[in-house]
Amino acid sequence: MSNNRKSYPLSENHADELRASNGFHLDDLTIENILNDKVTMADIQIAPETLSHQAEIAGAAKRYPLADNFWRAAEMTSLPNELIMEIYEMLRPGRALDRSSLDACAERLRNDFGAEKLALFLEEAAEIYTRHGVFSKRF
Amino acid sequence: MTWRHQSNRWRRFDDWDNRPLRLDLFSKDDPSNGFTAWHGENDPTPSLTIKNRLVTAMDSVSVDRFDMIDTFIARYHIDVDIAEEAMAMSSDEIARMLVDINVPREQLTRLAHGMTPAKLADVVARLSAVELTFAYAKMRPREMPGNQGHVTNAKDDPLQLAADAAVAVALGFDEIETTMRVSRNSWSNALACCVGAAVGRAGVLFQCSSEEAEELEIGMKGFTSYAETVSVYGTEGAFIDGDDTPWSKAWLTSAYASRGIKMRCTSGAAAELLMGFHEAKSLLYLEARCLCMQRGMGAQGTQNGGIDGAPLASTIPGGVRELLAENLLAVWLDLECASGNDARHSESEIRVGAKITPYLLAGSDLICSGFGTILKYDNSFNPSSFNGEELEDFLVLQRDFEADGGLRSVEESSMLALRQRAVDALEAVFDAMGLAVPTSTMKQSVVVASGSNETETFSVGDVGRISSAIQQKGITILDVIKVLHQRGFRDEAENLLFLLRLKLSGDFLQTSALIRDQKVLSAVNRPNQYLGPGTGYRVSAERLSELSQIRGELDKDAVITGQAVYAASEAKKISYRDLGDYIPSSEPKEVVVAISPAFGTRLFQTLAGHSLADVLRCLGEGIEAEGMAMRVIRCWHSADTSFLGLTAARLSGSGIGIGIQAKGTAVIHKRGRLPHNNLELFSNAPITSREHYQRLGANAAIYARGDWPEPVIVTNQGEALGARFHARVALIYAIETAMLVADRHPQQVAITFLESSNV
């Protein structure tokens, strides 16, 4: 796929190349396949490549923070729902009582999922939370 | 002076006290307690210091004293490549650029990315309300405006949610949003709205507003396609009490994108004030912090403009202008803006109408971030500015200004079938999934109901059980599509599949994306490129004709058909026989009544709905009661009341005549007076009673006698008679004027009343 704004919308200009994160092809996302139980929720999970492409499109439109968000989201596609929710919970005020659990999560993201940007993001949160006392228990 | 006139105050104040406006509260500007739109006691002076590409001080706070929000904004919002240039510019100069049609939008969004919250606030505070509106029209990201509606009800009834979601889709809403009275009903609400929104059209985005974690979970099951309740606050205290941090919210932002779900944040004036953590800072400055944070988080957009704080913000002097200013900040930062106009800020319909007008004129990505598509009492978010009750008012505002508010009229004849379809579709899903079986009475009550007070449906307990079952059985969007298709709801299944396929592209994650005619339109492929007249979004001829359609439009055929209904009954009451040219008489004991060309020939009722036969009978009775005789002539040279009256007077032996048009407007005239200088005029035909016509006849006779009667005053209650009648008047009068024959003499007419009494 080309990387400039002209490729947008991908659903019109690159529909033939669109796949889910597990490789399931958009062409196979049909009523017939759903009726025959040949589609699972994993088959409708947006692919990291697609999010990266959207990040490039956002970047080309000079929306850099939006692009960064799509880059983080691309890494997040491989995280299971439960892990995403678990980390979200850990980031809320007073849930983690010190930075070690966030740091451990960052390591896990880095090692198990190759999610370097997400790992850095958690480490940054750990640093900020330490400085601003967010780790104090609230209930 | 009697006791009735004793009062210690001017009684106009009693009238004012009784107006809905007086239910609203108004608070004093109080900068030390956070009650201020623009000038908080602790608002900082704009400043920025950058060393080695790192922010070391911002808005008069050095990095070692930054709170979490400052840190986040400094790291994620401030573009250090632009900051020096942007911060060096004068606020006045930038303010002028915002309203300058020669300065392209991109130039301004670029500068905003290098500006601190205090600087951004300082610029927009310099614009008047009209400048804010104009700048908003220029700066909003997407070319065409859109709108979002709430679909909720007081019983969390899934059948009604499905039916009302289908109606919202038919009305043209691009996004619909639900929430619950009882939080555990979220899964039921999500499923019901998801099915209802698939009836009639593909691509309406749907969200279920609930607790942060649960909302994401529902999204992950595929029922929803966007999220909006990722709330952000402008002070650390409020943020922590909101149970989040900028980092946890940024994590959620990425999480939604990672599942192909569109999201925007929420913030708005006075949230911090409501939560008790305002830090004596102004509404605008705190909102500027919120918006910089949201951009930094990588949200594509925001729901802002007061939102739940709008009613409080509106109690403060300038509060409504501040809401406009914060919406402008959002779009200037290049964020999609769902521009509030949801929580109703006033009990005054005038204030509500005035508040929506700038947005309707300027357009907005989503004009309302929650138009109540249902009745007020069914709105689980609390009443909106506009609700089911006022929906047609909004449609007419669109028509008045030829401004695209994103909505369209619905056909009365098709609504029952549409609602039935939605309810049947949901029943099919409930049945196939073993969730519940609605009775035919339940379904029928929902299909016809305007609101939940009228329905016989599931109990709140039933809904809770349905909702838990949806969650526990792990039902997904794929199950719903499959069942709908199997049960014959193929279009609905296809519509849901369309959105699923689109999710794989990520196209509607981009800024300001919505879906029309199965195409994604966003700030990427359809940016707002307004640069003055003739540019930017223009309402197409097709859309204009849609905007102009409103229920019950009047035209000439409708008037003629309406009158023809009474032709037969009039023929039983009266006969008119032409006796040729009228010869002036010298009989002093007569009053001549001149009727217009269409009187009793093509028109048969006055605007007040009186039969013309009855009106003539009343006139005659009044004239005769004062000892005079009525003679009737028909004018052909004029249908104007004054000239009808003057002609009658000139031809009358007494010198007194009455002119009356078919619509019931009448005059008493006297020979020798100027045409428009009559004796008595009865101009308000819609409120002129038969008794008035009787007294009119009597007074004419008294004038004919040479006496001066007490003039008849037709009193009104302040009705806007022009609004109620003038279109009909113009159409009716055109029927009269089309019958004129310029050189034809007035004709004598013999009147015979065919029924004996009953006037």
Side-chain angles (χ1 to χ4, degrees):
Chain A
M1 294 187 220
S2 66
N3 292 335
N4 61 33
R5 286 171 77 167
K6 292 205 176 80
S7 58
Y8 183 87
L10 304 183
S11 54
E12 290 170 38
N13 300 329
H14 294 278
D16 49 340
E17 298 160 52
L18 287 172
R19 291 172 180 276
S21 63
N22 64 359
F24 189 84
H25 201 285
L26 179 63
D27 287 347
D28 296 322
L29 184 47
T30 60
I31 287 285
E32 290 67 37
N33 283 338
I34 292 175
L35 291 174
N36 296 320
D37 295 323
K38 287 182 182 164
V39 183
T40 67
M41 287 303 280
D43 300 328
I44 56 171
Q45 166 60 51
I46 190 170
E49 296 79 10
T50 309
L51 282 164
S52 303
H53 197 161
Q54 294 292 357
E56 282 161 5
I57 291 165
K62 301 195 166 70
R63 299 188 176 106
Y64 304 119
L66 179 62
D68 287 342
N69 175 46
F70 291 153
W71 290 117
R72 286 192 293 273
E75 288 190 351
M76 225 181 250
T77 55
S78 58
L79 272 57
N81 292 350
E82 299 70 31
L83 182 58
I84 290 176
M85 301 310 299
E86 190 185 312
I87 295 175
Y88 170 58
E89 181 64 12
M90 203 181 291
L91 283 168
R92 299 178 96 165
R95 305 305 204 278
L97 293 182
D98 58 54
R99 68 172 296 161
S100 63
S101 49
L102 280 179
D103 285 336
C105 257
E107 265 318 284
R108 188 175 162 205
L109 292 182
R110 191 172 275 126
N111 297 333
D112 298 358
F113 298 94
E116 181 62 25
K117 293 183 179 70
L118 293 178
L120 286 171
F121 185 82
L122 290 190
E123 285 160 358
E124 179 190 62
E127 168 219 326
I128 302 291
Y129 285 15
T130 305
R131 194 192 307 162
H132 293 279
V134 181
F135 289 127
S136 58
K137 193 160 176 62
R138 288 175 47 79
F139 49 83
Chain B
M1 197 158 72
T2 71
W3 63 271
R4 287 186 300 120
H5 302 304
Q6 297 291 331
S7 178
N8 59 359
R9 74 192 305 216
W10 183 31
R11 286 188 181 151
R12 180 71 55 77
F13 285 99
D14 295 345
D15 298 339
W16 287 338
D17 281 348
N18 289 327
R19 287 178 59 78
L21 173 73
R22 278 287 143 192
L23 295 168
D24 292 358
L25 296 180
F26 304 97
S27 45
K28 284 198 188 319
D29 201 61
D30 182 359
S32 46
N33 286 303
F35 278 79
T36 182
W38 318 98
H39 306 293
E41 191 170 273
N42 293 334
D43 281 2
T45 307
S47 74
L48 189 68
T49 314
I50 296 170
K51 285 188 185 129
N52 300 323
R53 300 182 62 78
L54 289 175
V55 174
T56 56
M58 182 175 74
D59 291 341
S60 313
V61 179
S62 64
V63 68
D64 52 311
R65 292 193 299 117
F66 274 6
D67 65 13
M68 265 200 295
I69 294 172
D70 293 322
T71 305
F72 193 88
I73 290 171
R75 290 190 185 190
Y76 286 93
H77 160 66
I78 298 288
D79 187 332
V80 293
D81 292 326
I82 300 163
E84 204 174 339
E85 171 195 347
M87 291 299 289
M89 291 174 71
S90 88
S91 294
D92 277 331
E93 183 188 352
I94 304 171
R96 280 193 288 271
M97 288 167 73
L98 279 167
V99 291
D100 185 342
I101 57 170
N102 300 306
V103 179
R105 181 179 182 278
E106 299 75 32
Q107 199 175 326
L108 285 153
T109 53
R110 176 182 168 275
L111 289 173
H113 298 163
M115 291 164 63
T116 65
K119 179 72 173 176
L120 289 161
D122 185 48
V123 172
V124 295
R126 288 162 197 258
L127 300 178
S128 72
V130 71
E131 289 160 352
L132 289 167
T133 307
F134 183 77
Y136 192 78
K138 170 178 155 180
M139 294 306 296
R140 60 189 176 76
R142 191 199 322 110
E143 181 188 338
M144 60 291 289
N147 216 331
Q148 181 199 100
H150 292 159
V151 178
T152 62
N153 63 65
K155 297 177 178 171
D156 286 345
D157 173 19
L159 298 174
Q160 193 188 336
L161 288 168
D164 287 344
V167 171
V169 170
L171 284 164
F173 286 99
D174 298 294
E175 293 184 353
I176 65 171
E177 174 184 22
T178 193
T179 197
M180 298 67 62
R181 298 291 162 121
V182 180
S183 61
R184 68 171 175 278
N185 294 342
S186 55
W187 292 88
S188 166
N189 271 48
L191 175 61
C193 287
C194 172
V195 170
V199 177
R201 168 158 65 98
V204 176
L205 298 176
F206 163 59
Q207 69 150 324
C208 178
S209 171
S210 46
E211 195 280 328
E212 260 82 352
E214 188 168 62
E215 184 165 343
L216 180 57
E217 211 181 319
I218 290 170
M220 286 167 171
K221 294 292 182 188
F223 294 128
T224 55
S225 37
Y226 83 102
E228 175 177 69
T229 34
V230 182
S231 306
V232 164
Y233 306 96
T235 63
E236 206 175 271
F239 220 128
I240 299 286
D241 258 15
D243 204 17
D244 270 294
T245 75
W247 276 264
S248 68
K249 286 282 155 106
W251 180 266
L252 266 190
T253 305
S254 303
Y256 279 112
S258 80
R259 296 305 185 261
I261 299 168
K262 171 181 176 175
M263 73 76 73
R264 69 175 71 89
C265 289
T266 292
S267 65
E272 301 81 4
L273 196 53
L274 274 174
M275 294 170 78
F277 291 99
H278 53 76
E279 297 179 359
K281 288 166 181 161
S282 66
L283 304 184
L284 182 67
Y285 169 66
L286 291 181
E287 184 57 18
R289 278 162 68 88
C290 289
L291 290 166
C292 290
M293 226 180 327
Q294 292 171 43
R295 187 180 100 79
M297 284 158 55
Q300 62 81 29
T302 184
Q303 166 186 228
N304 92 320
I307 315 305
D308 290 343
L312 176 54
S314 304
T315 69
I316 294 170
V320 172
R321 178 176 150 236
E322 191 283 337
L323 299 178
L324 257 175
E326 67 180 54
N327 287 136
L328 174 61
L329 275 185
V331 296
W332 181 18
L333 284 163
D334 201 16
L335 295 170
E336 174 194 53
C337 186
S339 44
N341 298 308
D342 76 24
R344 194 181 180 93
H345 78 300
S346 175
E347 290 288 7
S348 156
E349 294 205 328
I350 290 178
R351 287 187 85 196
V352 169
K355 183 171 184 298
I356 198 75
T357 302
Y359 298 90
L360 184 61
L361 301 187
S364 182
D365 286 332
L366 296 143
I367 290 178
C368 299
S369 58
F371 187 120
T373 73
I374 62 299
L375 296 181
K376 287 192 188 85
Y377 69 77
D378 267 335
N379 197 328
S380 304
F381 294 96
N382 286 327
S384 292
S385 293
F386 285 80
N387 302 279
E389 289 92 334
E390 300 100 356
L391 200 131
E392 287 198 321
D393 296 64
F394 187 88
L395 295 176
V396 172
L397 286 178
Q398 292 188 132
R399 185 180 190 267
D400 287 345
F401 290 108
E402 299 189 326
D404 192 341
L407 304 189
R408 66 173 84 92
S409 296
V410 290
E411 286 281 339
E412 188 170 343
S413 59
S414 62
M415 281 302 102
L416 285 182
L418 179 80
R419 292 175 66 83
Q420 185 75 50
R421 176 95 184 165
V423 167
D424 289 346
L426 186 65
E427 179 190 35
V429 175
F430 274 11
D431 182 48
M433 298 289 170
L435 295 169
V437 182
T439 65
S440 57
T441 305
M442 289 163 70
K443 288 171 54 186
Q444 174 65 15
S445 79
V446 165
V447 166
V448 300
S450 179
S452 65
N453 282 352
E454 303 159 30
T455 61
E456 288 179 53
T457 188
F458 295 114
S459 71
V460 181
D462 291 337
V463 178
R465 283 184 282 278
I466 292 168
S467 194
S468 310
I470 295 167
Q471 186 179 18
Q472 279 158 18
K473 288 170 190 250
I475 293 170
T476 70
I477 189 69
L478 294 172
D479 300 319
V480 174
I481 291 173
K482 182 176 171 182
V483 166
L484 283 173
H485 200 274
Q486 285 170 340
R487 298 289 184 105
F489 295 92
R490 296 188 173 188
D491 289 347
E492 289 75 9
E494 291 285 357
N495 288 347
L496 289 176
L497 178 61
F498 166 79
L499 259 187
L500 272 197
R501 291 170 56 88
L502 206 53
K503 263 187 192 173
L504 275 187
S505 73
D507 284 334
F508 64 80
L509 304 179
Q510 294 287 354
T511 303
S512 304
L514 52 69
I515 298 152
R516 299 248 176 104
D517 301 324
Q518 309 215 355
K519 305 265 187 211
V520 178
L521 311 174
S522 75
V524 176
N525 60 341
R526 299 297 293 272
N528 177 15
Q529 293 176 314
Y530 181 77
L531 285 172
T535 68
Y537 178 69
R538 300 280 143 178
V539 177
S540 68
E542 189 189 357
R543 178 64 177 140
L544 197 60
S545 105
E546 213 169 58
L547 292 177
S548 68
Q549 279 165 30
I550 198 76
R551 200 161 55 91
E553 278 178 308
L554 200 62
D555 62 13
K556 190 175 171 183
D557 289 346
V559 169
I560 291 175
T561 311
Q563 289 286 334
V565 171
Y566 304 104
S569 58
E570 278 291 279
K572 287 182 191 154
K573 285 185 163 185
I574 192 168
S575 82
Y576 302 86
R577 193 157 50 89
D578 280 5
L579 301 177
D581 287 2
Y582 182 75
I583 300 151
S585 100
S586 54
E587 169 56 55
K589 288 184 144 295
E590 70 173 8
V591 172
V592 172
V593 175
I595 59 177
S596 57
F599 194 107
T601 56
R602 295 192 64 196
L603 301 171
F604 306 98
Q605 273 206 333
T606 70
L607 290 172
H610 305 308
S611 127
L612 294 183
D614 291 349
V615 168
L616 273 184
R617 192 195 286 261
C618 287
L619 288 176
E621 284 172 358
I623 292 168
E624 282 158 22
E626 294 296 334
M628 299 279 162
M630 172 171 80
R631 289 220 278 157
V632 177
I633 63 171
R634 186 186 297 283
C635 287
W636 293 96
H637 69 290
S638 175
D640 179 82
T641 328
S642 295
F643 284 99
L644 290 173
L646 193 56
T647 303
R650 282 175 179 160
L651 297 177
S652 166
S654 67
I656 298 295
I658 292 171
I660 184 163
Q661 297 175 316
K663 64 188 170 67
T665 307
V667 71
I668 304 176
H669 229 308
K670 185 178 180 182
R671 188 191 301 151
R673 294 179 76 92
L674 288 170
H676 295 293
N677 193 10
N678 50 56
L679 293 177
E680 289 187 42
L681 177 65
F682 295 72
S683 61
N684 281 338
I687 52 172
T688 306
S689 67
R690 292 195 291 198
E691 192 216 334
H692 287 130
Y693 288 113
Q694 216 158 13
R695 290 170 58 199
L696 187 160
N699 275 11
I702 294 169
Y703 288 118
R705 226 165 50 206
D707 290 338
W708 285 91
E710 192 68 18
V712 178
I713 306 291
V714 178
T715 55
N716 66 63
Q717 304 300 315
E719 302 96 332
L721 295 174
R724 297 184 191 198
F725 291 101
H726 273 178
R728 192 179 298 279
V729 166
L731 289 165
I732 285 176
Y733 195 57
I735 292 170
E736 300 257 35
T737 53
M739 292 173 74
L740 295 179
V741 183
D743 54 359
R744 188 168 177 194
H745 282 279
Q747 301 288 299
Q748 176 150 9
V749 182
I751 301 291
T752 313
F753 295 111
L754 304 174
E755 288 170 2
S756 53
S757 65
N758 87 3
V759 169

